[in-house]
Amino acid sequence: RILNFLHANCKANPPFFSQSIFDLGIGTYDSIITVTPATPIIVAINLFAERRVSALPVVDDNGVVIDIYAKYDVINLARERSYNDLDKSVHEALIHRQEGFEGVQTCQRTDSLRKIFTQIVKAKVHRLVVVDPSGKVDGIVSLSDILSFLLGIAPA
Amino acid sequence: RILNFLHANCKANPPFFSQSIFDLGIGTYDSIITVTPATPIIVAINLFAERRVSALPVVDDNGVVIDIYAKYDVINLARERSYNDLDKSVHEALIHRQEGFEGVQTCQRTDSLRKIFTQIVKAKVHRLVVVDPSGKVDGIVSLSDILSFLLGIAPA
Ligand SMILES: Nc1ncnc2c1ncn2[C@@H]1O[C@H](COP(=O)(O)O)[C@@H](O)[C@H]1O
Ligand SMILES: Nc1ncnc2c1ncn2[C@@H]1O[C@H](COP(=O)(O)O)[C@@H](O)[C@H]1O
């Protein structure tokens, strides 16, 4: 499969790179599944399994994003032998997070695809939480979304 | 939801921790989707989207695991502005992988759950490729599989 279209049109700096992720249709912007610091871990694990998502934004009472709980964090729980305590809260689970965590990575729906790429690579994360200017959850943009977009622009 | 069962029975060192992942039913051991170094990236991206997996073991002609290609690696491709070349091979894409990559993380189906936990945390990976003694792909054990197991042992 030779992608003539892309080869011919997008060699150096394709125009979509400057467009916003929202305009490009990259990401999920409704029915975002969130948890609160008080949510029991067992509920979060159920959400991972049933809703097939890999991370859950942690929000405060106003819907403002304060953290993120990912599938991977459950492994740390198990490592600490806390697997006997799945009714522990997300907040308690995240206290012990390894050093080096620099806070939840967020972006805005108006950010360009270029900016999102740079941020994901720099922060070595698998998704960004999209927030509105007040910090409330607006959406999620994950690796899956970016791959779907790449598929969409690649003529068969 | 109070997990009395776990609290009561598994406090210090639950017996399942010493059992093998295969005996515990953790992981996928058939129909493993693999690629070869020559597979075009666009084919790999399609597999991520259609088969809903997050990584593909890269195997040689004998089925021996030599590398792994994950969703995340596509982002690096895009970052290098090679998104105009999705017919590039997996091999070419992985040449440029960042330093610090220590080779594909593998395990065997007879490894204990404890060993798997330790390895996943140490290597900071999201899945291990299960190989047989000759190095051939035998299965995959991912975060999703471990979470499903934790759900299964947690009485409702
Ligand atoms: N917490 C969430 N709530 C709603 N959708 C999500 C959430 N996390 C990820 N998604 C979306 O679900 C799909 C798969 O996400 P992921 O498995 O995280 O790559 C993508 O389209 C994401 O935008
Ligand atoms: N390349 C693969 N081929 C077949 N099954 C896989 C592969 N990668 C992951 N799986 C399985 O698919 C499910 C979801 O995997 P993941 O999205 O990687 O967490 C788990 O049950 C894995 O064991």
Side-chain angles (χ1 to χ4, degrees):
Chain A
R1 288 196 200 91
I2 312 290
L3 305 176
N4 289 315
F5 170 82
L6 282 172
H7 274 277
N9 293 294
C10 303
K11 268 240 158 75
N13 207 352
F16 60 77
F17 238 50
S18 318
Q19 281 180 258
S20 78
I21 48 168
F22 186 75
D23 287 348
L24 292 169
I26 302 176
T28 301
Y29 296 90
D30 53 20
S31 316
I32 298 300
I33 308 154
T34 60
V35 293
T36 71
T39 303
I41 286 165
I42 184 72
V43 172
I45 297 180
N46 262 302
L47 289 172
F48 291 140
E50 279 164 22
R51 310 294 290 268
R52 293 179 139 261
V53 295
S54 61
L56 300 159
V58 184
V59 299
D60 69 12
D61 292 342
N62 300 313
V64 171
V65 180
I66 50 179
D67 209 331
I68 188 153
Y69 192 66
K71 271 187 192 176
Y72 194 76
D73 295 310
V74 181
I75 295 295
N76 276 310
L77 178 88
R79 180 172 140 252
E80 290 159 6
R81 316 233 159 165
S82 312
Y83 38 74
N84 51 350
D85 206 0
L86 299 182
D87 52 349
K88 197 158 132 166
S89 72
V90 163
H91 171 72
E92 288 172 280
L94 288 176
I95 291 176
H96 309 286
R97 185 156 35 193
Q98 280 156 316
E99 285 138 55
F101 180 69
E102 291 171 6
V104 50
Q105 291 287 327
T106 63
C107 66
Q108 296 202 18
R109 60 161 80 188
T110 50
D111 287 345
S112 69
L113 180 57
R114 175 180 295 108
K115 191 172 170 211
I116 299 300
F117 267 132
T118 311
Q119 190 175 352
I120 285 184
V121 172
K122 242 195 196 151
K124 295 207 182 100
V125 293
H126 285 240
R127 88 278 311 156
L128 304 176
V129 183
V130 186
V131 295
D132 70 14
S134 72
K136 285 188 191 161
V137 180
D138 184 30
I140 295 257
V141 50
S142 82
L143 293 186
S144 314
D145 301 320
I146 295 175
L147 294 194
S148 301
F149 172 76
L150 286 175
L151 269 186
I153 58 167
Chain B
R1 289 197 198 92
I2 314 290
L3 305 176
N4 289 313
F5 170 82
L6 281 172
H7 274 277
N9 294 293
C10 303
K11 267 235 160 83
N13 206 351
F16 59 77
F17 238 51
S18 318
Q19 282 179 258
S20 79
I21 48 168
F22 185 76
D23 287 348
L24 292 169
I26 302 176
T28 300
Y29 297 92
D30 52 23
S31 317
I32 297 302
I33 308 154
T34 60
V35 291
T36 72
T39 303
I41 286 164
I42 184 71
V43 172
I45 296 180
N46 263 302
L47 290 172
F48 290 140
E50 280 164 23
R51 310 294 290 267
R52 293 178 139 263
V53 294
S54 61
L56 300 159
V58 184
V59 299
D60 69 13
D61 292 343
N62 301 313
V64 171
V65 180
I66 50 179
D67 209 330
I68 187 151
Y69 192 66
K71 271 188 192 177
Y72 194 78
D73 294 310
V74 181
I75 296 294
N76 275 310
L77 178 88
R79 180 170 140 252
E80 290 159 7
R81 318 230 158 170
S82 313
Y83 39 73
N84 53 350
D85 205 0
L86 298 183
D87 52 349
K88 198 158 129 164
S89 72
V90 163
H91 171 73
E92 287 172 281
L94 288 176
I95 289 176
H96 310 286
R97 185 155 36 193
Q98 280 155 318
E99 284 139 54
F101 180 69
E102 292 170 6
V104 50
Q105 290 287 327
T106 62
C107 66
Q108 298 202 16
R109 61 162 78 188
T110 50
D111 287 345
S112 69
L113 180 56
R114 175 179 296 108
K115 190 173 171 209
I116 299 300
F117 267 134
T118 311
Q119 189 175 351
I120 284 182
V121 172
K122 242 192 194 153
K124 296 207 180 101
V125 292
H126 285 240
R127 89 279 309 159
L128 305 177
V129 182
V130 186
V131 294
D132 70 14
S134 71
K136 285 188 191 162
V137 179
D138 184 30
I140 294 257
V141 50
S142 82
L143 293 185
S144 315
D145 300 319
I146 295 175
L147 295 194
S148 301
F149 172 75
L150 286 175
L151 270 187
I153 59 166

